[in-house]
Amino acid sequence: MSNVRAARLSRRGVLAAGGALGLGAALAACGDDAKSAGSASSASASAKSGPWSFKDDRGTTVKLDAIPANIVAFTGVAAALFDYGIQVKGVFGPTKTAAGKADVQAGDMDVSKVTVLGNVWDEFNVEKYAALAPDVLISTMFDSAGTLWYVPEASKDKIAGLAPSVGISVYDRQLTAPLQRMWELAESLGADMTASAVTDAKKRFEAAAARLRAAAKAKPEIKVMAGSASAELFYVSGTDLSVDLEYFKSLGVNFVEPPESAKAQGGGWYESLSWENVDKYPADVIMMDDRSSTVQPADITEATWKKLPAVKAGQVIARSPEPILSYDKCVPLLENLAAALEKAKKVS
């Protein structure tokens, strides 16, 4: 199998399983402070003029005559830029729930103020995209081939012909790397990175990392499993490849690690288990994928799940497999896991 095809299969598998990426629950941002910072950043962007360039994680440098005004981005990227005061015109990816509310991946964005080009996998309205007269398209990348997340394979060439693109890699690196890259991107787009809401969020992130490191050191015996659920299968993520899990592991968190052979069918991201075998790995804390495409813990009816020691002990927390890459949104990922470790009892 070619590397490109393998990459496609793995990214589809990642989407289907959900269990390949990060953890924690995305909490509300800094409210009025974030909004005021956003206004200041927008003003800063409009005040700047002249040519714009940015070298992305594919090694591609995009050059424009001016800072992009019409930005189209993957929903999670748009949410991160919003936290830095940059408003996009259009989004693609999970943006609205079936009830019409903002998806968890939309963060604090007002989803009524953006054009949604596609809300689910393989959906991207090219005609609407062209009508926005995009200056640039921005997305994340979950493989080494530079595949733009949620840009459909069938229409990628048409999409590429309408505007240049920027890719931020979230593949096989620790969370701090793409966080820094998103910071640099926002700054290039005119965001005010000296705004108090922005600098305070970075300080809170650093404090939360120190707290998680201390919690992990205090309870090294606590085993954490990163999972995701579908109606048919339960997925157990390994720490390799995922930006959040790699980072949490570096801080000392003791994760369940499926063997490489077991993760082979999941593109190296995860092992899939039948619900009858959901107890294969002993775990004291379970982190569950919070994306709307997955089955949430409260809706799991399988008796085998309900018998798991961590479930019976109430030691199940949320995980955001596709973190919104602003420091403000990543603080809760660290704090929630730290709090879970601090309170956790050895039950496995």
Side-chain angles (χ1 to χ4, degrees), residues 98-117:
K101 296 181 180 180
D103 188 273
V104 65
Q105 291 184 252
D108 291 333
M109 280 195 302
D110 184 343
V111 297
S112 69
K113 293 183 178 180
V114 293
T115 299
V116 180
L117 304 175

Side-chain angles (χ1 to χ4, degrees), residues 240-292:
D240 292 340
L241 308 182
S242 299
V243 291
D244 63 326
L245 301 186
E246 285 199 9
Y247 182 54
F248 299 153
K249 183 180 179 180
S250 77
L251 295 176
V253 178
N254 182 12
F255 280 103
V256 167
E257 295 281 6
E260 292 301 318
S261 58
K263 294 186 295 181
Q265 288 188 329
W269 294 88
Y270 57 84
E271 177 182 1
S272 55
L273 300 173
S274 67
W275 283 105
E276 289 77 14
N277 295 315
V278 73
D279 61 350
K280 179 176 180 179
Y281 297 107
D284 304 295
V285 173
I286 302 176
M287 310 176 77
M288 291 295 291
D289 188 341
D290 68 354
R291 290 177 295 179
S292 55

Side-chain angles (χ1 to χ4, degrees), residues 16 228-235 274-275 293-295 299-302:
S228 184
S230 72
E232 297 80 19
L233 296 168
F234 182 81
Y235 307 90
S274 67
W275 283 105
S293 59
T294 66
V295 179
D299 299 319
I300 298 175
T301 58
E302 278 73 11

Side-chain angles (χ1 to χ4, degrees), residues 72-193:
V72 172
F74 171 68
T75 303
V77 170
L81 291 176
F82 181 84
D83 284 352
Y84 292 129
I86 305 297
Q87 178 69 54
V88 307
K89 292 292 181 66
V91 297
F92 54 95
T95 307
K96 297 180 180 180
T97 66
K101 296 181 180 180
D103 188 273
V104 65
Q105 291 184 252
D108 291 333
M109 280 195 302
D110 184 343
V111 297
S112 69
K113 293 183 178 180
V114 293
T115 299
V116 180
L117 304 175
N119 200 57
V120 297
W121 184 256
D122 239 12
E123 180 181 87
F124 192 113
N125 191 313
V126 180
E127 289 72 26
K128 280 188 178 181
Y129 179 57
L132 290 174
D135 294 320
V136 68
L137 178 148
I138 309 172
S139 190
T140 47
M141 302 181 297
F142 284 94
D143 61 30
S144 59
T147 307
L148 296 173
W149 192 232
Y150 266 82
V151 172
E153 182 70 21
S155 55
K156 68 176 184 179
D157 292 337
K158 290 182 180 179
I159 293 167
L162 293 168
S165 62
V166 167
I168 300 298
S169 179
V170 286
Y171 175 74
D172 196 17
R173 60 199 59 201
Q174 293 183 18
L175 180 61
T176 46
L179 272 174
Q180 178 61 29
R181 292 294 283 146
M182 193 63 70
W183 175 288
E184 293 166 0
L185 176 60
E187 186 173 36
S188 80
L189 293 170
D192 180 5
M193 310 312 283

Side-chain angles (χ1 to χ4, degrees), residues 170-225:
V170 286
Y171 175 74
D172 196 17
R173 60 199 59 201
Q174 293 183 18
L175 180 61
T176 46
L179 272 174
Q180 178 61 29
R181 292 294 283 146
M182 193 63 70
W183 175 288
E184 293 166 0
L185 176 60
E187 186 173 36
S188 80
L189 293 170
D192 180 5
M193 310 312 283
T194 65
S196 59
V198 173
T199 57
D200 288 351
K202 192 170 185 179
K203 291 176 182 176
R204 289 189 292 110
F205 179 88
E206 292 166 352
R211 177 184 174 186
L212 179 55
R213 186 188 296 276
K217 184 177 181 179
K219 292 187 176 179
E221 75 282 1
I222 297 298
K223 201 79 171 177
V224 179
M225 180 166 66

